[in-house]
Amino acid sequence: MSGINGWVLMTKDINHIHSYYSPNDLYNRIIDGLNEIGKELSKITLEDLHPVDEFHIRGTVATKELIQLSDFTSDMHILDVGCGVGGSTRRLAHETGCCVTGIDLSAEYIDAAQRLTHLLNMQERLSFYAASALDLPFEGNSFDGVWSIQVNMNVEDKLSWLKELYRVVKPKGRVVLYEVCANKNTPVYFPVPWAQDSSISFLVEPDLFREAITSAGFEVDVWHDKTDLAQKAFANMTKPVEDPELPELGVHLLVGNDILTKAYNLHRNLDEERVSLIEAVAVKP
Ligand SMILES: C[S@@+](CC[C@H](N)C(=O)[O-])C[C@H]1O[C@@H](n2cnc3c(N)ncnc32)[C@H](O)[C@@H]1O
């Protein structure tokens, strides 16, 4: 993609993705949820926010596994690309003591990420900006490590995204990825948690994803297929009834009240080998 027409096309596509992840008044709706379940705002913990702020398969359990793989330490500054409302960003800073900058396409998510971080009094080590993963507002070699969790599904131009990660991470820096990929069967059932329909979902098979990582210049240090664990995590999903009752706090606040249909479709896509889940660490030589 090049020239003015290419730029217009990219902006239009990104707006389309942005609007999927732009709920109104998100922070206040999360606060309402916390109030409704009787949480005292001055005593909110990381755990209290988990139902809504870890928007990826296997939530906190997966985040903790990724932290183990990362080797990130307290003296480092890490970039979280596609941080959502910052649940795993805060968890990473909390567990390792490192500083983390989070960016996300959604201004609503970034607003919630900033305000939730203040609520937890973690603002000293965390900062958040609205930005695109395809055009990161940072100098080259700025970060000791990068992490990007379940973002690639919305990124059509995977090579440009990975080249941006490569550009901003320092030599020897580790880039932690935890991503939904295609699998041997098609088509994918929609809606799914990352897309209402196929227009903003760009899945490639794991082999092609790995090829894009190495084409961007990285060496692959860790490559784990976690599809079986994802299948187990969604094993009990059943077809939702119409107008189901939703909890006060949950990822429906992020992507809409059809979340159970989205989760049920994800379960079917995993079980029928239409999608897979890859955990990887890439290193900039
Ligand atoms: C499934 S959510 C995951 C959020 C977060 N990483 C987490 O695990 O809780 C996908 C996120 O990627 C963001 N995203 C998608 N495409 C993006 C892009 N081109 N640049 C920046 N963020 C993007 C979305 O706004 C959304 O917050």
Side-chain angles (χ1 to χ4, degrees):
M1 186 180 296
S2 63
I4 275 278
N5 289 339
W7 185 82
V8 171
L9 179 61
M10 200 156 94
T11 308
K12 182 171 144 269
D13 287 355
I14 282 180
N15 285 343
H16 193 28
I17 295 161
H18 189 178
S19 61
Y20 178 69
Y21 290 111
S22 287
N24 283 331
D25 207 20
L26 177 60
Y27 176 74
N28 287 323
R29 292 174 66 208
I30 293 174
I31 296 299
D32 289 348
L34 288 165
N35 283 327
E36 277 166 38
I37 55 178
K39 295 287 175 189
E40 211 176 304
L41 291 188
S42 61
K43 294 186 183 154
I44 293 297
T45 63
L46 287 182
E47 282 67 29
D48 292 331
L49 293 176
H50 285 164
V52 68
D53 76 355
E54 295 251 16
F55 186 19
H56 52 263
I57 298 172
R58 299 177 60 244
T60 317
V61 177
T63 306
K64 288 184 176 175
E65 290 169 1
L66 295 168
I67 290 171
Q68 288 293 319
L69 284 181
S70 73
D71 288 345
F72 294 155
T73 50
S74 60
D75 53 339
M76 291 184 172
H77 188 182
I78 306 301
L79 177 67
D80 182 350
V81 178
C83 62
V85 295
S88 40
T89 329
R90 285 183 288 272
R91 170 62 63 188
L92 176 59
H94 175 78
E95 305 252 324
T96 66
C98 65
C99 291
V100 195
T101 296
I103 70 100
D104 198 279
L105 207 51
S106 164
E108 270 293 335
Y109 284 12
I110 288 296
D111 174 66
Q114 285 166 333
R115 294 163 80 181
L116 291 171
T117 299
H118 270 83
L119 190 63
L120 287 158
N121 205 16
M122 293 183 74
Q123 64 276 14
E124 252 180 45
R125 276 186 286 124
L126 292 156
S127 48
F128 296 93
Y129 304 96
S132 166
L134 295 167
D135 188 14
L136 294 170
F138 307 108
E139 302 278 307
N141 301 330
S142 294
F143 295 93
D144 299 296
V146 173
W147 125 319
S148 201
I149 300 186
Q150 281 170 29
V151 175
N152 105 95
M153 305 89 83
N154 296 125
V155 178
E156 186 169 16
D157 186 352
K158 299 199 194 304
L159 190 56
S160 292
W161 162 60
L162 290 161
K163 280 184 171 170
E164 271 298 83
L165 306 189
Y166 185 90
R167 184 181 67 77
V168 299
V169 74
K170 293 177 186 169
K172 307 289 173 219
R174 291 167 76 75
V175 174
V176 176
L177 303 164
Y178 181 61
E179 294 293 344
V180 177
C181 291
N183 205 330
K184 57 186 176 206
N185 296 318
T186 56
V188 166
Y189 301 118
F190 287 97
V192 285
W194 62 89
Q196 211 63 35
D197 56 48
S198 62
S199 67
I200 60 164
S201 180
F202 309 103
L203 303 185
V204 294
E205 287 191 24
D207 284 355
L208 273 182
F209 182 43
R210 189 176 176 135
E211 220 176 282
I213 294 171
T214 51
S215 297
F218 291 109
E219 284 165 5
V220 176
D221 183 49
V222 174
W223 188 265
H224 296 151
D225 188 327
K226 307 281 262 196
T227 311
D228 57 336
L229 291 178
Q231 285 166 338
K232 281 186 194 132
F234 282 80
N236 294 330
M237 283 302 306
T238 50
K239 194 170 181 185
V241 293
E242 246 178 68
D243 276 335
E245 211 171 293
L246 294 167
E248 289 79 1
L249 209 58
V251 290
H252 59 284
L253 299 179
L254 306 182
V255 287
N257 285 348
D258 58 352
I259 190 64
L260 293 181
T261 303
K262 290 172 174 171
Y264 176 63
N265 283 338
L266 178 52
H267 152 76
R268 291 200 295 160
N269 286 321
L270 284 161
D271 263 23
E272 296 175 22
E273 297 182 306
R274 294 168 194 270
V275 303
S276 58
L277 179 63
I278 298 295
E279 170 187 83
V281 180
V283 180
K284 180 170 175 174

